[in-house]
Amino acid sequence: MLHGFLTAKDDIYCRQIKFDQRVDKLSNVFYHGSFNDFSALPLQRFDLLILPTLHEGMPNIVLESVKANLFVVAGNVGSIPEIINSGVNGILVSQNGDVGAYRNAIKRFYSSVAMQDYNLRSKTNAHILTRHSQENYESQVNKLYNT
């Protein structure tokens, strides 16, 4: 069963293509509308974040998911590989745009006890969040301008 939310920006596009009407035809997918605040989502109901994307920089939704200790299935693009340790806290999908590749990644997650190991993922995520913290960012900017 797949439960999904979209960002408010994506919601505009989804209305144009009548996304909700298409999803209503699927018995195992539930679309809950758009959201503006990640922390307001019922995260305890989710096992993973799926971000099928062709182009990204450093997406906040991935950082927020890592902070919430959600497993992430996302395209191997932009800076996502800096955040996702494939097989530990997520799966990087190299065949961007290939629905089958995303389906296989999701199946791989659910069939792997190791990938569902919350404690291992938590340790990996803590390291990543330290590296991408506000304090580290400010420190790096200060080093850049003070050298």
Side-chain angles (χ1 to χ4, degrees), residues 72-131:
V72 176
V73 174
N76 189 3
V77 297
S79 295
I80 295 174
E82 291 180 33
I83 305 166
I84 300 304
N85 183 349
S86 203
V88 178
N89 68 340
I91 296 175
L92 296 170
V93 177
S94 295
Q95 301 88 359
N96 295 331
D98 180 355
V99 173
Y102 281 89
R103 181 181 55 242
N104 290 338
I106 294 165
K107 285 180 178 180
R108 198 170 136 213
F109 167 74
Y110 282 111
S111 66
S112 170
V113 174
M115 284 189 218
Q116 294 181 49
D117 185 332
Y118 184 88
N119 292 324
L120 176 61
R121 191 166 60 239
S122 181
K123 290 176 187 174
T124 301
N125 290 345
H127 172 72
I128 291 165
L129 291 172
T130 299
R131 192 173 68 214

Side-chain angles (χ1 to χ4, degrees), residues 11-142:
D11 192 47
I12 295 167
Y13 171 73
C14 287
R15 276 186 267 138
Q16 290 172 348
I17 65 166
K18 299 181 180 169
F19 177 78
D20 56 339
Q21 292 172 16
R22 293 177 186 199
V23 170
D24 284 344
K25 296 176 185 174
L26 304 172
S27 62
N28 62 339
V29 176
F30 300 92
Y31 172 57
H32 299 282
S34 63
F35 71 95
N36 287 316
D37 182 9
F38 185 82
S39 64
L41 293 174
L43 298 175
Q44 68 282 0
R45 293 178 51 197
F46 304 120
D47 297 324
L48 51 93
L49 167 79
I50 305 166
L51 183 64
T53 184
L54 298 174
H55 311 283
E56 286 293 338
M58 176 70 73
N60 284 337
I61 190 80
V62 173
L63 288 168
E64 290 171 315
S65 295
V66 165
K67 183 177 180 184
N69 215 25
L70 287 175
F71 194 84
V72 176
V73 174
N76 189 3
V77 297
S79 295
I80 295 174
E82 291 180 33
I83 305 166
I84 300 304
N85 183 349
S86 203
V88 178
N89 68 340
I91 296 175
L92 296 170
V93 177
S94 295
Q95 301 88 359
N96 295 331
D98 180 355
V99 173
Y102 281 89
R103 181 181 55 242
N104 290 338
I106 294 165
K107 285 180 178 180
R108 198 170 136 213
F109 167 74
Y110 282 111
S111 66
S112 170
V113 174
M115 284 189 218
Q116 294 181 49
D117 185 332
Y118 184 88
N119 292 324
L120 176 61
R121 191 166 60 239
S122 181
K123 290 176 187 174
T124 301
N125 290 345
H127 172 72
I128 291 165
L129 291 172
T130 299
R131 192 173 68 214
H132 290 279
S133 70
Q134 181 69 29
E135 295 80 19
N136 192 43
Y137 170 77
E138 289 172 3
S139 172
Q140 295 298 319
V141 169
N142 283 334

